[in-house]
Amino acid sequence: MGEHTAYREASLRGLFITGTDTGVGKTEVACGLVRGHRARGLDVGAMKPAQSGHHPGELSDADRLRAAAGGTDAVELVCPYRLGAPLAPAVAARLEGKSLSLSVILEAARTLAARHAALVIEGAGGLMTPLTDRETFADLAVAFGLPVLVVARAGLGTVNHVALTCEALRARALVARGIVLNRTSRDHDPSEPHNAAEIERLTGVRVLATLPFEREQAARERLIAEELSREVQF
Ligand SMILES: Nc1ncnc2c1ncn2[C@@H]1O[C@H](COP(=O)(O)OP(=O)(O)OP(=O)(O)O)[C@@H](O)[C@H]1O
Ligand SMILES: [Mg+2]
């Protein structure tokens, strides 16, 4: 546990978005929620505290979140740490001879919080992804003190991954705001019709939506903005 775990940002309003893995749809959900709330008049800002392994020519998570939140915040505030290697932030930073600091991230969040009514903050990978040599994203979530939304795959294996993530949240007294299952593959999966109910039974946390496979990014964000964002108040 890191030195900042006892510290909570008492005044922050918003949501921390974690996943059961990398590539499960955190950025889609984060951008859709930000856009949906902003469309209904709530000035929501967005943050990706650390990102690693951005492909040249593609929009990074930070670029997408910044655009969803109106495009006026400095990139350095939206994403204080942008690392080259496609590795966990702590590992990528080590390779670059850098070290990440929770205080720098919290300071950027404070500045953004002063500019917006609420913040949506996307982690990297999952809850126990190493952020620094001493801290994981779970420690960052504790420091933010925000409710946590868990994004997970819709198919086989997700019940176990979601249950483990919910246990890790509970162990830290973090509030699980809900779970979003996301179909990242178009393949038929016989577990899908059962997974939401099984997850709710096992964890006691609500599954807010199961998102369909949708090839087009703009259409995915629109669907989340129009349908899911009403379910996720903060
Ligand atoms: N519902 C969906 N239908 C089709 N493709 C999807 C869907 N959701 C996500 N994808 C695709 O899956 C990939 C991973 O999504 P996304 O980038 O949101 O994951 P992530 O959890 O934010 O990953 P990271 O840990 O890298 O931040 C993206 O390439 C996206 O285009
Ligand atoms: Mg992402």
Side-chain angles (χ1 to χ4, degrees):
M1 295 273 168
E3 64 194 290
H4 298 277
T5 48
Y7 175 72
R8 280 178 188 254
E9 288 292 299
S11 59
L12 271 195
R13 175 183 176 194
L15 194 68
F16 183 79
I17 300 191
T18 193
T20 50
D21 198 355
T22 187
V24 293
K26 294 184 298 294
T27 305
E28 310 289 322
V29 170
C31 289
L33 291 181
V34 169
R35 288 187 191 279
H37 281 286
R38 290 182 69 88
R40 288 196 302 280
L42 183 67
D43 177 4
V44 178
M47 196 178 182
K48 173 94 181 179
Q51 81 181 8
S52 40
H54 165 229
H55 297 287
E58 278 179 25
L59 286 180
S60 69
D61 286 8
D63 295 332
R64 287 184 58 195
L65 288 163
R66 180 175 176 274
T72 59
D73 295 318
V75 178
E76 294 73 18
L77 288 177
V78 174
C79 186
Y81 293 111
R82 282 154 289 145
L83 301 153
L87 301 167
V91 183
R94 209 175 295 139
L95 288 183
E96 292 181 24
K98 292 182 189 161
S99 68
L100 275 55
S101 150
L102 231 66
S103 324
V104 169
I105 293 171
L106 294 173
E107 187 56 39
R110 243 173 255 133
T111 307
L112 284 176
R115 299 187 50 153
H116 298 278
L119 290 183
V120 167
I121 303 176
E122 183 196 344
L127 200 60
M128 300 298 279
T129 296
L131 174 62
T132 72
D133 288 342
R134 295 159 52 99
E135 287 125 342
T136 67
F137 276 84
D139 295 311
L140 183 62
V142 169
F144 283 136
L146 291 171
V148 179
L149 185 75
V150 179
V151 182
R153 284 191 196 86
L156 192 63
T158 202
V159 173
N160 172 55
H161 293 153
V162 172
L164 288 171
T165 300
C166 288
E167 264 204 18
L169 292 174
R170 203 163 289 136
R172 290 163 180 77
L174 286 164
V175 174
R177 179 65 190 76
I179 296 152
V180 174
L181 299 179
N182 185 24
R183 291 197 180 100
T184 51
S185 157
R186 64 168 83 243
D187 298 341
H188 170 72
D189 183 321
S191 76
E192 272 188 21
H194 307 282
N195 287 339
E198 201 57 17
I199 284 169
E200 289 187 341
R201 192 183 66 77
L202 206 55
T203 66
V205 181
R206 263 187 75 207
V207 175
L208 304 175
T210 300
L211 302 173
F213 180 86
E214 163 59 61
R215 226 165 31 83
E216 216 207 308
Q217 185 180 93
R220 290 197 296 267
E221 279 190 24
R222 211 161 41 240
L223 180 83
I224 295 163
E226 284 167 9
E227 302 195 4
L228 181 65
S229 75
R230 286 177 205 284
E231 285 278 318
V232 187
Q233 300 295 326
F234 37 74

